[in-house]
Amino acid sequence: RYNSSLKLLDLSSNSIGDQGASALSAVLIANTTLESLDVASNGISKRGLDCLAMGLRHNKSLKSLELSFNGFGDGACQTLCEALDQNSSLQYLGLGFNGIMCPGALSLTRGLINSHSLQRLELSYNALGDTGTAQIAKALCYTRVLETLGLVSNGISDLGATALAEALAENTSLMVLGLSSNNISCAGAQALSKALRSNDTLQGLYLEENDIGEQGSADLKSIIETTASCKPLDPDLQLALIMGLDRRLGTACPLFALDSFLCREIVGMCQLRRPRDILYYPKVVEVTSEDGV
């Protein structure tokens, strides 16, 4: 609790449960040096998350909090929203694989709008649907700090994609948007293409495993080729981003300034980890020129 040197604590896949989360809350309140906490896959429910949120309200050093694979659902999102309102240091929040639906998205929207520090939000592999996605899109119209948003595999169709596209037309901070493995077709791709004509900050748009069709692919390709902000990334860096591995380098590392050799090393090492420990692992596909994105 009073350690003055520890900056990273990885307790993922340890079954600490709500009791362990309660103990960590006391750590967050007292500790002033911890910057990264990973408690993914620990069976933490709303009760435990309420405790962590209390610690987060008082903490001023934590930059990264990984909560994926806990399955706490919508109820805990209101508590997180209130914590985000009061916390001024958190830059990354991982909420993948937690069964979050529209009510949870509504709570998180309020937290996103009020947060002045959160740069990266991972919501992949939940159940937001179009309605929940529209709520998150509302936050994009107001936030000026969020740079990365992961919405992979959330049952998003053209309606949700269109809501995001309308938000992108106003947003000036988002650099990476992950929409792979959803239900987006040509209409959604065309809406995103239109938004990119007026958006000059988005640098990474991931639409793998969506049925956008030849026309949707062609529209996006034409925008990417003519828009200065949508520059193609180094293949190794792109793979690292898709897999969500760049966060392991620390939140202070610029997303688009990673050394390609280092990215290859990271990907190689993480291939040895269990698949569930890698955020995007089940859905990584090789992007070819035929995909158009």
Side-chain angles (χ1 to χ4, degrees):
R1 181 188 298 188
Y2 300 105
N3 184 284
S4 60
S5 61
L6 186 68
K7 291 188 176 182
L8 187 151
L9 181 58
D10 187 344
L11 293 172
S12 58
S13 304
N14 271 297
S15 303
I16 66 171
D18 294 337
Q19 185 174 359
S22 178
L24 286 172
S25 176
V27 172
L28 290 177
I29 292 174
N31 187 279
T32 59
T33 59
L34 188 66
E35 296 182 357
S36 178
L37 176 61
D38 189 338
V39 288
S41 189
N42 268 293
I44 299 173
S45 70
K46 180 183 181 301
R47 178 183 175 186
L49 198 59
D50 286 347
C51 295
L52 283 175
M54 181 181 298
L56 195 60
R57 291 191 193 101
H58 294 86
N59 184 274
K60 298 184 185 301
S61 65
L62 197 69
K63 296 180 180 179
S64 176
L65 178 58
E66 181 59 77
L67 293 166
S68 298
F69 292 100
N70 279 296
F72 42 69
D74 293 325
C77 291
Q78 177 60 39
T79 304
L80 277 175
C81 169
E82 295 169 357
L84 288 175
D85 285 349
Q86 299 178 42
N87 180 278
S88 60
S89 64
L90 195 68
Q91 297 177 14
Y92 169 81
L93 179 60
L95 296 174
F97 293 91
N98 277 306
I100 298 172
M101 297 186 287
C102 182
L106 179 60
S107 297
L108 289 171
T109 296
R110 292 193 289 268
L112 273 175
I113 292 174
N114 294 327
S115 174
H116 297 291
S117 63
L118 193 66
Q119 298 176 8
R120 308 185 61 198
L121 176 61
E122 182 52 72
L123 281 168
S124 293
Y125 298 96
N126 281 294
L128 300 182
D130 290 328
T131 307
T133 300
Q135 294 295 333
I136 298 296
K138 290 180 181 179
L140 292 181
C141 296
Y142 296 95
T143 178
R144 295 293 180 266
V145 294
L146 191 69
E147 296 179 353
T148 303
L149 177 59
L151 295 174
V152 173
S153 191
N154 264 287
I156 302 170
S157 74
D158 292 335
L159 290 174
T162 300
L164 288 169
E166 293 173 352
L168 285 175
E170 299 183 32
N171 182 274
T172 58
S173 65
L174 200 68
M175 298 170 66
V176 178
L177 177 59
L179 288 172
S180 302
S181 302
N182 280 293
N183 303 316
I184 301 170
S185 69
C186 179
Q190 289 179 324
L192 289 166
S193 299
K194 182 179 179 181
L196 288 177
R197 294 182 186 276
S198 57
N199 181 293
D200 60 2
T201 54
L202 195 71
Q203 297 186 31
L205 174 61
Y206 298 102
L207 286 165
E208 297 90 347
E209 297 189 30
N210 281 285
D211 190 17
I212 65 175
E214 293 184 4
Q215 186 58 53
S217 177
D219 289 345
L220 282 167
K221 185 176 181 181
S222 67
I223 295 297
I224 291 173
E225 289 176 345
T226 58
T227 304
S229 66
C230 295
K231 299 175 182 178
L233 302 176
D234 179 282
D236 295 303
L237 175 54
Q238 185 182 58
L239 179 59
L241 284 171
I242 292 173
M243 296 174 72
L245 302 179
D246 59 301
R247 69 182 177 83
R248 298 184 186 280
L249 294 181
T251 54
C253 185
L255 278 174
F256 300 99
L258 303 182
D259 180 79
S260 61
F261 173 77
L262 185 55
C263 285
R264 282 194 293 271
E265 291 296 304
I266 295 171
V267 171
M269 287 187 293
C270 288
Q271 294 285 3
L272 302 176
R273 295 171 64 95
R274 290 171 295 176
R276 72 172 185 171
D277 290 334
I278 301 177
L279 208 52
Y280 288 117
Y281 191 95
K283 297 296 182 182
V284 170
V285 294
E286 188 171 334
V287 182
T288 66
S289 58
E290 294 179 355
D291 293 322
V293 292

